Amino acid sequence: MEKTLKPMSGYITLVICLVLFVAAAYFFISGVDQSITYVAISMLCLLLAFFFLKGLMIIQPNHSRVLNFFGKYVGTVKDNGLFFINPLYSSQKMSLRSENLQGQTLKVNDKMGNPIEIAVVMVWKVGDTYKAAFDVERYSDFVRMQSEAAVRHLAMSFPYDNLEDDHAPITLREGGDKINSILEQELTDRLSKAGIVIQEARISHLAYASEIAGAMLQRQQATAIVAARTKIVEGAVGMVDLALKKLSEENIVELDDERKAAMVSNLMVVLCGEKAATPILNAGTLYN
C-alpha cells in the first residue's frame, strides 16, 4: 500500500554541488601546471557533484514521485518543492490533478433490447499512487476502458424509458441523479483497484439509435395523444354530469332518458371534438 515520504530539502545539496563544481574547476586549473593529483581530485569532485545532482528532484504542485530502490517500492513524495533523495532511487512522475474524460458515444442495447446511444463525462484523479503505478499497466488506459465497460453495463441494466416497462422504478431518461449516482458507484468499484478516485460522473448524451429513433418518436407522440385524449374525456364526462345535475336541481327543464341521451351525445361531441362545433337550429322535436 501507499507510503508517504518526507525527504530532506534539496537546497543544501544544491549548494554543496555548486561548491564541488567550483572546487573541481580550481583543482583542475591548479593541476595542469603542478601535479596530476590535483587533476584526480578535480575529477573526484566533479563525479560527486553529478552524483548528488542525480538525487535532486523538483515536484510541482499537485504532482508526486513514486520511488523505487532496485525494484523495491520505497514510498511516494507528495510535497512540493526542491528535495534530495538517495541518488540510487528511481522515480516515476505521477500527476495528482483532477482530469476530465469525455467518453465516446457508444451504441448499446438497453434492458428492453432497444438500441440506444449513450456517452458520459467523468472527473477523476489518482488517489493511491502505489496502486496506479504497480497494480495496473497504464492507469490512464485502464480508466478509459473500464469507464466504457461501466457505461455499457449501466445501459443494459435499465430501460431507456417506461414505454415498454410501465413498472420500471428507474429509467435512463428520467433517472436523473439516481442514474448518475449508480454510474459513479459502478466506476468507483471498477477503478478502485487502480487507486483512482471518481469525483463526478454524468451522462452527457442519451438518445435512441438512428435506426429506431423515428419509430420511437411516433410511439411517444401516440402515447402523448392518448394521454391527452383520456384527460379530455374525463373532463368532458365531468362537465356533462355537472350540467345534467344543475338542470335537474334548478328545474330548468325536464328531460326524459331519450332527451338526456341526445344532450349527452351533443355535449360530448362539442367538448371532445378537435374543431369548434357548428351550431344548428332545430325547429322541431326529437319525436317529429
Side-chain angles (χ1 to χ4, degrees):
M1 53 187 300
E2 183 183 78
K3 296 187 297 182
T4 302
L5 291 182
K6 301 288 185 179
M8 63 178 293
S9 175
Y11 292 101
I12 298 176
T13 305
L14 181 60
V15 172
I16 294 174
C17 290
L18 293 176
V19 171
L20 288 172
F21 278 123
V22 173
Y26 171 77
F27 284 113
F28 181 79
I29 295 173
S30 301
V32 172
D33 299 328
Q34 297 181 15
S35 173
I36 193 65
T37 304
Y38 283 8
V39 176
I41 295 175
S42 173
M43 297 302 297
L44 179 60
C45 291
L46 195 62
L47 289 175
L48 287 175
F50 281 114
F51 181 73
F52 287 142
L53 279 177
K54 189 178 182 300
L56 289 176
M57 65 179 183
I58 300 175
I59 301 180
Q60 303 293 339
N62 281 329
H63 283 73
S64 65
R65 291 287 188 94
V66 180
L67 305 179
N68 293 280
F69 183 66
F70 294 108
K72 181 180 179 181
Y73 173 68
V74 177
T76 302
V77 181
K78 294 185 176 181
D79 295 334
N80 309 133
L82 178 64
F83 301 101
F84 176 73
I85 60 173
N86 188 336
L88 297 180
Y89 287 170
S90 61
S91 65
Q92 176 184 350
K93 295 181 180 180
M94 189 169 294
S95 173
L96 302 179
R97 294 177 296 184
S98 297
E99 299 191 38
N100 186 67
L101 176 64
Q102 175 64 58
Q104 62 178 345
T105 301
L106 304 176
K107 182 180 290 187
V108 296
N109 293 333
D110 68 355
K111 185 178 180 181
M112 307 307 297
N114 299 315
I116 64 173
E117 295 178 350
I118 186 172
V120 301
V121 58
M122 55 180 285
V123 182
W124 61 277
K125 68 175 184 178
V126 175
D128 190 318
T129 57
Y130 176 85
K131 291 182 178 180
F134 302 112
D135 286 356
V136 294
E137 184 64 27
R138 287 182 293 273
Y139 66 89
S140 57
D141 293 341
F142 185 82
V143 170
R144 185 165 53 255
M145 296 301 295
Q146 289 300 316
S147 62
E148 180 178 327
V151 172
R152 290 184 180 276
H153 183 262
L154 176 74
M156 292 187 295
S157 300
F158 299 97
Y160 178 87
D161 53 28
N162 53 10
L163 287 178
E164 296 184 5
D165 189 357
D166 296 334
H167 304 289
I170 302 177
T171 63
L172 295 173
R173 187 166 65 90
E174 299 178 354
D177 292 338
K178 290 184 178 179
I179 287 294
N180 292 329
S181 297
I182 295 172
L183 176 60
E184 289 181 10
Q185 187 59 48
E186 176 83 10
L187 289 168
T188 299
D189 294 341
R190 288 177 176 269
L191 298 176
S192 60
K193 64 182 64 177
I196 303 300
V197 176
I198 301 300
Q199 297 176 303
E200 185 181 9
R202 294 287 183 270
I203 294 178
S204 59
H205 174 77
L206 182 64
Y208 280 114
S210 57
E211 56 265 28
I212 67 166
M216 287 301 177
L217 178 60
Q218 293 178 354
R219 183 173 182 176
Q220 291 174 350
Q221 292 173 341
T223 302
I225 292 173
V226 170
R229 289 292 182 183
T230 301
K231 297 296 290 185
I232 291 173
V233 171
E234 291 177 356
V237 170
M239 295 174 67
V240 170
D241 181 61
L242 179 62
L244 292 176
K245 287 182 179 179
K246 285 291 185 179
L247 291 173
S248 177
E249 291 175 357
E250 298 182 7
N251 295 320
I252 296 176
V253 63
E254 292 292 335
L255 299 174
D256 57 15
D257 291 339
E258 188 172 354
R259 291 178 181 271
K260 287 182 179 180
M263 182 178 177
V264 169
S265 175
N266 292 333
L267 286 175
M268 291 297 293
V269 170
V270 171
L271 295 174
C272 296
E274 293 185 0
K275 298 181 179 180
T278 302
I280 298 176
L281 295 178
N282 185 8
T285 66
L286 291 176
Y287 305 105
N288 294 324

